């Protein structure tokens, strides 16, 4: 089979290899990978390692959709022919992930564990859930990280209620899932972006209002659109100093879900509005398997279709990563026949 591997950090060290198809051990399933959706995190792991304990040769990426082709002894959750998707945080079945205050949890596929950019993977059965019946493999592969992150923020922890206002920053995978899920919950949605073309596409997808963040101060635009009330829930996808702007834009007793790190890993913000508005600021570490199973049921029930900007064949992974680096409207997917 083919598998992409790094022998050291850097996109120039990423190579396709031919290796033996793995055999599933006890409690494991062998999955024929049909599609892998890429996350910005994957690009950062490839380029810098993000301080993770990578073991070389290392295979990146975490989010797959595929079909079980063989099962090891003791497997009870799946049978040959079952369509599955991976879980981002293996072993996190419900509740908090395993970790401590000193060492917070971050054991994920394509990080502490091997990744999925391969034609086959053999992992424990607990690392998968059944795929949605209504999505193709490429669409289903977008759920484990981007889809579940938005679901955790807006439904699992939210919950967003009809009539509330949700603001999403940008038009990447998590942002567009947030737009779709918030609209499905009956909320109004404001989308910010620096691209007229992407804002038009967000409007067509259901955004109530759009803000061109380079043409006007987006916080002032929020005040104008909400008659100074602010927004009830913000998906903070930029991070860094942008958290301070979100604190300014959030409504009294509103919620800010901190998800992205595009502007850095150190967040800052004004203490005055923070104290006076009393918002909830919550970090989102993707989510657990129970929530992912609930997301799958919801996707099938509501007919949600993830937004895919482009699909690439497995051998064109470098071009897919280049597209990801430029910025995508929704998700970039790599597919294997």
């Amino acid at each position: 089979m083919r598998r992409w591997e790094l022998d050291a950090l850097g996109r120039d060290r990423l190579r396709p290899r031919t290796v033996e198809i793995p055999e599933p051990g006890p409690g494991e399933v062998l999955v024929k990978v049909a599609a892998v959706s890429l996350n910005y995190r994957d690009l950062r792991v490839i380029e810098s390692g993000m301080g993770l304990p990578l073991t070389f040769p290392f295979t990146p990426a975490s989010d797959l959709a595929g079909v079980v082709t063989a099962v090891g002894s003791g497997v009870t959750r799946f049978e040959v022919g079952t369509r599955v998707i991976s879980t981002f945080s293996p072993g996190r079945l419900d509740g908090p992930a395993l970790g401590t205050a000193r060492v917070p949890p971050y054991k994920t596929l394509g990080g502490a564990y091997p990744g999925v950019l391969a034609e086959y993977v053999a992992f424990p059965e607990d690392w998968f859930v059944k795929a949605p019946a209504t999505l193709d493999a490429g669409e289903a592969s977008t759920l484990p990280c981007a889809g579940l992150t938005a679901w955790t923020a807006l439904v699992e922890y939210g919950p967003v209620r009809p009539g509330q206002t949700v603001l999403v920053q940008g038009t990447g995978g998590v942002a567009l899932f947030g737009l779709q899920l918030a609209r499905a919950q009956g909320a109004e949605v404001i989308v910010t972006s620096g691209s007229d073309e992407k804002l038009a596409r967000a409007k067509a997808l259901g955004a109530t209002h759009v803000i061109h963040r380079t043409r006007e101060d987006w916080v002032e635009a929020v005040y104008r659109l909400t008659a100074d009330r602010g927004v009830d829930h913000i998906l903070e996808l930029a991070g860094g100093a942008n958290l301070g702007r979100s604190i300014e834009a959030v409504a009294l007793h509103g919620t800010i879900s901190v998800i992205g790190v595009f502007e850095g890993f150190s967040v800052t913000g004004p203490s005055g509005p923070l104290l006076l508005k009393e918002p909830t600021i919550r970090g989102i570490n993707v989510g657990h398997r129970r929530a992912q199973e609930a997301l799958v049921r919801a996707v099938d029930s509501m007919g949600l279709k993830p937004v895919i900007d482009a699909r690439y064949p497995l051998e064109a992974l470098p071009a897919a990563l280049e597209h990801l680096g430029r910025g995508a409207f929704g998700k970039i997917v790599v597919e294997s026949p």
Side-chain angles (χ1 to χ4, degrees):
M1 71 169 190
R2 292 172 299 167
R3 181 170 69 202
W4 284 90
E5 293 181 351
L6 287 167
D7 61 6
L9 295 178
R11 266 193 264 180
D12 60 333
R13 306 305 295 266
L14 191 60
R15 295 285 189 275
R17 308 290 186 196
T18 300
V19 299
E20 293 294 322
I21 296 174
E23 293 284 340
E28 293 185 338
V29 293
L30 178 68
V31 174
K32 172 69 174 70
V33 179
V36 174
S37 72
L38 300 177
N39 299 301
Y40 181 68
R41 164 191 175 270
D42 300 327
L43 194 57
R44 296 195 67 149
V45 169
I46 290 168
E47 293 176 342
S48 70
M50 289 181 61
L52 297 171
L54 307 185
T55 299
F56 298 103
F58 174 76
T59 298
S62 57
D63 299 3
L64 72 79
V67 178
V68 175
T69 58
V71 299
S73 62
V75 168
T76 59
R77 298 182 64 239
F78 305 110
E79 58 187 24
V80 172
T82 305
R83 297 176 64 240
V84 296
I85 56 176
S86 56
T87 56
F88 182 75
S89 301
R92 186 183 178 188
L93 306 184
D94 200 350
L98 298 178
T100 65
R102 183 187 296 274
V103 184
Y106 198 59
K107 289 189 174 181
T108 67
L109 290 177
Y113 297 108
V116 299
L117 279 166
E119 291 184 301
Y120 289 87
V121 297
F123 292 149
E125 62 172 339
D126 283 345
W127 294 14
F128 297 95
V129 303
K130 287 186 178 180
T134 55
L135 301 184
D136 66 27
E139 294 166 337
S141 74
T142 68
L143 298 186
C145 185
L148 182 57
T149 297
W151 176 269
T152 298
L154 297 176
V155 181
E156 186 74 18
Y157 291 154
V160 170
R161 297 186 298 275
Q164 289 189 323
T165 303
V166 174
L167 181 138
V168 299
Q169 299 168 349
T171 55
V174 176
L176 294 189
F177 269 113
L179 164 58
Q180 292 174 290
L181 290 171
R183 290 296 287 156
Q185 300 298 313
E188 294 189 350
V189 179
I190 301 172
V191 176
T192 67
S193 174
S195 164
D196 284 322
E197 185 260 341
K198 289 180 178 179
L199 287 175
R201 293 172 71 181
K203 190 76 172 177
L205 197 61
T208 314
H209 304 287
V210 295
I211 299 171
H212 197 294
R213 57 178 170 76
T214 63
R215 290 208 190 112
E216 62 178 325
D217 183 294
W218 69 267
V219 175
E220 287 296 329
V222 163
Y223 295 158
R224 170 174 52 81
L225 292 170
T226 64
D228 285 349
R229 183 180 181 278
V231 288
D232 298 293
H233 200 134
I234 297 176
L235 296 190
E236 172 52 69
L237 294 163
N242 195 69
L243 176 64
R245 304 308 319 277
S246 292
I247 292 173
E248 294 176 38
V250 74
L252 304 185
H253 289 206
T255 298
I256 301 172
S257 292
V258 181
I259 297 167
V261 294
F262 290 103
E263 294 192 10
F265 285 90
S266 295
V267 295
T268 59
S271 60
L274 177 63
L275 297 175
L276 296 174
K277 291 184 176 184
E278 300 181 318
T280 296
I281 299 179
R282 182 162 199 162
I284 304 296
N285 184 13
V286 185
H288 45 64
R289 196 181 77 186
R290 178 184 58 75
Q292 186 168 334
E293 291 169 335
L295 170 60
V296 168
R297 293 192 297 271
V299 164
D300 280 339
S301 175
M302 69 177 64
L304 186 149
K305 289 290 183 181
V307 179
I308 296 178
D309 199 8
R311 302 177 188 236
Y312 292 84
L314 182 63
E315 59 269 21
L317 176 62
L321 291 170
E322 182 66 26
H323 189 161
L324 181 66
R326 293 195 306 270
F329 185 83
K331 297 294 291 181
I332 302 295
V333 170
V334 176
E335 298 179 316
S336 178

